[in-house]
Amino acid sequence: MAVAALLAFTTACSDNSTGSNGSSNNPQSFSVKGELSGYDHGEQELYQAEDFVDLIDGTINADGTFTVEFLGEEAVQEALKPLSDDSEGFVSMYCRNAVRENLDDGHQFVGLSVFNFTYGEETNVGGIGLSSGAPNRNVYPPSSDFRGEYQVRWIYSTHEATISEECDSGSGGTEEVEIELMEGWNEVIFNVSDGERLRMYTGERPSEVGWTLET
């Protein structure tokens, strides 16, 4: 598939997640709605997968409105992984070693940051993300390559957990984790505005965050 190099960005005219912290009252039922002004790629199916396992079901309409349904545990079961420090496990967590020591046995995760779609005769790939800049689909935290000072990601957790950790980033700075995870999907914010103090937390999105489009 060809991926166009040109980046375009828009800010959401509206956003409606099912509950605070990006989680619904039923953790197995979670959806996000939004709108992109200036979207002109027609109606498209939205998708995202991990290890060829579908994580979402969604559509963006010709007017830029979209709805994404996050799939439940039965659907994402084969994509769940334990927290790890290598690419074979779940790596989208700061202070991984310290966090791992405090997790229940069998605690597994899967996550995503961008909703993809294909368009055009050359089957180009686009992406919709929630950040203070263009979405980045190619890196996982910790990284200095984030575009924008904030990026929202969604993490599925098989267990409830309250995690509070601070650790050395390995490059002279610190990493901080302040998250409360429900069983099911959770919205998690990554703050990389200060490269010496990388943070991930649950709670209110910063005002700078909006839906962005990469094509």
Side-chain angles (χ1 to χ4, degrees):
M1 296 184 180
V3 180
L6 179 63
L7 293 179
F9 68 94
T10 58
T11 301
C13 297
S14 64
D15 170 46
N16 182 18
S17 300
T18 53
S20 62
N21 186 28
S23 300
S24 66
N25 292 329
N26 176 0
Q28 303 300 326
S29 177
F30 178 87
S31 65
V32 171
K33 296 181 180 181
E35 180 176 353
L36 289 165
S37 60
Y39 174 80
D40 61 358
H41 298 293
E43 181 175 324
Q44 303 291 346
E45 294 299 312
L46 297 173
Y47 62 90
Q48 185 56 272
E50 178 74 16
D51 292 339
F52 306 103
V53 178
D54 291 332
L55 303 179
I56 63 169
D57 182 21
T59 302
I60 183 167
N61 301 307
D63 64 359
T65 58
F66 62 90
T67 300
V68 172
E69 298 287 341
F70 290 69
L71 302 183
E73 183 172 6
E74 183 176 352
V76 306
Q77 182 67 42
E78 293 184 15
L80 294 169
K81 297 178 180 179
L83 189 62
S84 176
D85 58 1
D86 60 47
S87 60
E88 297 302 314
F90 181 75
V91 293
S92 295
M93 184 84 68
Y94 290 143
C95 300
R96 287 194 295 272
N97 291 333
V99 171
R100 188 166 48 206
E101 291 177 357
N102 294 291
L103 293 181
D104 295 335
D105 291 341
H107 201 144
Q108 294 186 309
F109 306 90
V110 69
L112 63 93
S113 60
V114 176
F115 313 138
N116 290 126
F117 61 92
T118 57
Y119 65 96
E121 295 180 0
E122 297 182 0
T123 317
N124 298 306
V125 177
I128 300 170
L130 192 57
S131 68
S132 60
N136 191 328
R137 293 171 285 173
N138 302 315
V139 298
Y140 56 82
S143 173
S144 61
D145 296 330
F146 277 85
R147 303 172 190 174
E149 296 185 338
Y150 298 93
Q151 184 176 22
V152 173
R153 297 191 175 201
W154 294 272
I155 295 176
Y156 188 99
S157 173
T158 56
H159 296 70
E160 293 183 358
T162 298
I163 301 171
S164 178
E165 296 286 352
E166 182 174 341
C167 61
D168 188 337
S169 67
S171 59
T174 60
E175 297 173 3
E176 297 180 19
V177 183
E178 292 289 343
I179 56 177
E180 293 187 12
L181 299 178
M182 295 175 57
E183 178 185 345
W185 286 102
N186 299 267
E187 186 173 288
V188 180
I189 301 161
F190 290 85
N191 178 357
V192 294
S193 59
D194 179 355
E196 299 301 313
R197 181 173 176 256
L198 306 176
R199 299 181 60 230
M200 64 181 293
Y201 61 95
T202 51
E204 294 296 321
R205 297 174 191 163
S207 59
E208 300 96 322
V209 166
W211 292 105
T212 58
L213 173 67
E214 183 180 75
T215 57

